[in-house]
Amino acid sequence: MSIQAVRGTRDIHGEEMQKWHRAEQVFRDVAVAFSYQEYRTPIFEQTELFKRGVGQDTDIVGKEMYTFEDRGGDSLTLRPEMTAPIVRACMEHSLLHHNPIQRLWYAGPQFRYDRPQKGRYRQFHQFGAECIGSPHPEADAEIILLAYEALRRYGVTSFTLEINSLGTSDVRSAYRAALIAFLEQHAGQLSEDSQKRMHANPLRVLDSKDERDKTVVAQAPLLRDYLDDASRAHMEAVLVLLDAAGVPYRVNPYLVRGLDYYNHIVFEFTTDALGTQNAIGGGGRYDPLFSILGGGEQPAVGFSIGIERMILLHDAEHADTAEKPAPHGVYISAIGDQARLPVQIIALRLRRKGVHVVTDLLRRSVKAQMKDANRENVAFCVMIGESELADQTAVVKNMITGEQVTVEQGNIESVVLQHE
Ligand code: HAM
């Protein structure tokens, strides 16, 4: 059998590529509007970064990382997420010494060894932003608004912003003890996964999708009843900002997120339109991460959106209105062998002026070139044959109206650029 792409990875091409370009453009524009700087980190890092940063007991570190030893014997991992690498970079380059607030955004591939299905891949892509340096609710709100604006500007609407507070680490340890005690009493009714998890990572039982767990969880003590005044006030202030900005949300007391570095606000953008993969994006405040990684105390908040899921959601919402892209660019057709070389030179001249030009590379008949021009969906077809070569002209056909004019070869661009 011929070699195929690795399970859980996808090739992106053709019409889908245009959707990616548009998504990337929207992210860039929104990030710039919020004054975030792009940051690119390597695709692999020391394994230790994720073990410590994301947390030993998480699914990501426990069973989803692509970890390998390189030829020098170092343990490396293909990045499963971007927050730990951004914090590593921030510390390594002392970014906060230069500016006490770092607003950074990124887009790129991530790797998780999960069971592939629609919307879940082993190589997937995230767009995200991290606001580092502020402990205040304005920073949380800014990050949520940035994510919300990106989704809205891309044109998706059928999602819910779910939000919760995990409080401080003291709040969580008190709650954790109460939750473990409760789960122990109901251990027999829990799924096997949750029984395994309930001591190491009991909060994850709260957002289990297993019906048996959901029934138990419905009776469980709620984290919000354990929140201290400062945590409550922080959450309240973020919600007031969201209300003022007109961003709808739903407080979900069971939302805990699957990564260990969070405290205070956590949030997720969820949808019913993508089957079981219901999270399009998520994030939260992760004040503990800098000290976990040895960088002292440093408040931070951020989010990531899954680009594949965002595009799938857009497709689901716009299934009936998928339209053919507008005709664009010029096809230059050589009529007869004599014209082939001049056509290539005219094409180069036009390309240098910014015109999108296609030419025939298969030495096809005129009829076959016309067919090709239609397939390429160009706005104009320029035809150059023997008589045009002799008097330095070209026939320019408007592919939309069918109208044809003869112009000097040096004037082709004035006709076609008018339309661009
Ligand atoms: P996460 O919830 O693990 O958070 O991932 C964010 C988003 O990435 C998900 O909501 C989903 O859209 C997408 N995603 C995750 N796994 C897959 C997959 N296997 N296939 C396709 N899409 C996937 C984080 O990664 C955190 N770093 C977010 C964050 C940033 N928190 C603070 N700052």
Side-chain angles (χ1 to χ4, degrees), residues 60 80-83 106 112 114 119-122 124-126 129-130 257 259 261-262 268 279-284 286 301-309:
I60 293 180
E81 64 103 49
M82 282 295 290
T83 310
Y106 48 82
R112 296 184 193 175
D114 205 342
R120 188 161 76 200
Y121 311 102
R122 290 181 175 171
F124 62 98
H125 298 74
Q126 283 182 342
E130 313 291 344
R257 309 258 311 129
L259 303 94
Y261 45 58
Y262 294 116
E268 212 149 58
I280 343 166
Y286 53 94
V301 53
F303 75 88
S304 311
I305 287 173
I307 302 182
E308 285 85 353
R309 290 189 194 171

Side-chain angles (χ1 to χ4, degrees), residues 87-103:
V87 169
R88 193 264 310 136
C90 219
M91 285 159 40
E92 186 170 335
H93 305 294
S94 309
L95 297 184
L96 291 149
H97 288 312
H98 305 297
N99 184 338
I101 289 284
Q102 289 293 324
R103 293 182 164 99

Side-chain angles (χ1 to χ4, degrees), residues 264-293:
H264 289 298
I265 297 295
V266 286
F267 58 90
E268 212 149 58
F269 294 94
T270 58
T271 178
D272 294 330
L274 298 182
T276 48
Q277 301 316 306
N278 69 340
I280 343 166
R285 180 163 278 286
Y286 53 94
D287 302 336
L289 187 54
F290 273 78
S291 54
I292 292 172
L293 295 175

Side-chain angles (χ1 to χ4, degrees), residues 16 51 75 80-81 97 100 119 122 133 166 168 215 221-222 239-240 250 260 269 275 292 294 296 319 343 407 413:
E16 193 187 351
K51 277 196 177 165
S75 178
E81 64 103 49
H97 288 312
R122 290 181 175 171
L166 299 180
T168 60
T215 315
L222 286 177
L239 298 184
V240 166
R250 183 171 81 82
D260 275 0
F269 294 94
I292 292 172
V343 156
V407 297
E413 57 267 41

Side-chain angles (χ1 to χ4, degrees), residues 71-372:
R71 286 167 193 271
D74 287 332
S75 178
L76 304 178
T77 292
L78 297 184
R79 62 185 189 203
E81 64 103 49
M82 282 295 290
T83 310
I86 290 282
V87 169
R88 193 264 310 136
C90 219
M91 285 159 40
E92 186 170 335
H93 305 294
S94 309
L95 297 184
L96 291 149
H97 288 312
H98 305 297
N99 184 338
I101 289 284
Q102 289 293 324
R103 293 182 164 99
L104 306 171
W105 74 273
Y106 48 82
Q110 317 295 327
F111 306 85
R112 296 184 193 175
Y113 189 83
D114 205 342
R115 205 147 27 89
Q117 51 180 252
K118 187 181 171 197
R120 188 161 76 200
Y121 311 102
R122 290 181 175 171
Q123 174 173 329
F124 62 98
H125 298 74
Q126 283 182 342
F127 158 72
E130 313 291 344
C131 178
I132 299 166
S134 168
H136 301 299
E138 296 87 280
D140 305 59
E142 178 173 289
I143 276 291
I144 295 174
L145 289 175
L146 202 171
Y148 182 79
E149 283 301 305
L151 291 170
R152 292 301 304 247
R153 211 180 287 190
Y154 187 65
V156 293
T157 49
S158 55
F159 61 82
T160 305
L161 166 60
E162 299 187 26
I163 188 161
N164 191 23
S165 173
L166 299 180
T168 60
S169 46
D170 285 348
V171 165
R172 254 191 339 282
S173 42
Y175 173 67
R176 200 171 177 273
L179 184 60
I180 292 178
F182 171 84
L183 294 174
E184 277 172 345
Q185 282 169 18
H186 299 82
Q189 294 146 258
L190 291 171
S191 68
E192 296 72 36
D193 254 6
S194 290
Q195 289 185 24
K196 272 188 232 148
R197 226 179 218 165
M198 63 185 237
H199 288 105
N201 209 345
L203 267 66
R204 284 316 306 272
V205 177
L206 297 180
D207 62 6
S208 160
K209 301 209 165 79
D210 190 298
E211 287 305 325
R212 289 168 290 176
D213 297 335
K214 280 188 181 168
T215 315
V216 176
V217 162
Q219 312 296 323
L222 286 177
L223 204 154
R224 70 168 167 225
D225 296 329
Y226 288 72
L227 288 182
D228 57 314
D229 289 347
S231 301
R232 268 180 223 282
H234 186 95
M235 169 83 159
E236 212 34 57
V238 174
L239 298 184
V240 166
L241 278 160
L242 294 180
D243 286 334
V247 173
Y249 57 82
R250 183 171 81 82
V251 175
N252 173 0
Y254 298 111
L255 180 70
V256 292
R257 309 258 311 129
L259 303 94
D260 275 0
Y261 45 58
Y262 294 116
N263 64 345
H264 289 298
I265 297 295
V266 286
F267 58 90
E268 212 149 58
F269 294 94
T270 58
T271 178
D272 294 330
L274 298 182
T276 48
Q277 301 316 306
N278 69 340
I280 343 166
R285 180 163 278 286
Y286 53 94
D287 302 336
L289 187 54
F290 273 78
S291 54
I292 292 172
L293 295 175
E297 293 293 311
Q298 201 55 253
V301 53
F303 75 88
S304 311
I305 287 173
I307 302 182
E308 285 85 353
R309 290 189 194 171
M310 191 185 76
I311 292 176
L312 281 170
L313 182 59
H314 189 273
D315 287 350
E317 287 182 12
H318 299 83
D320 315 332
T321 52
E323 48 184 64
K324 204 176 162 204
H328 173 66
V330 179
Y331 193 99
I332 311 188
S333 164
I335 304 171
D337 285 341
Q338 294 277 0
R340 295 197 197 281
L341 185 137
V343 156
Q344 292 303 326
I345 304 309
I346 294 169
L348 177 63
R349 193 175 58 73
L350 291 176
R351 286 168 178 153
R352 284 182 173 155
K353 299 212 175 240
V355 183
H356 159 119
V357 183
V358 200
T359 64
D360 170 44
L361 295 179
L362 292 175
R363 300 198 166 183
R364 282 176 276 208
S365 66
V366 177
K367 198 169 152 211
Q369 288 186 63
M370 288 305 124
K371 233 173 119 184
D372 193 28

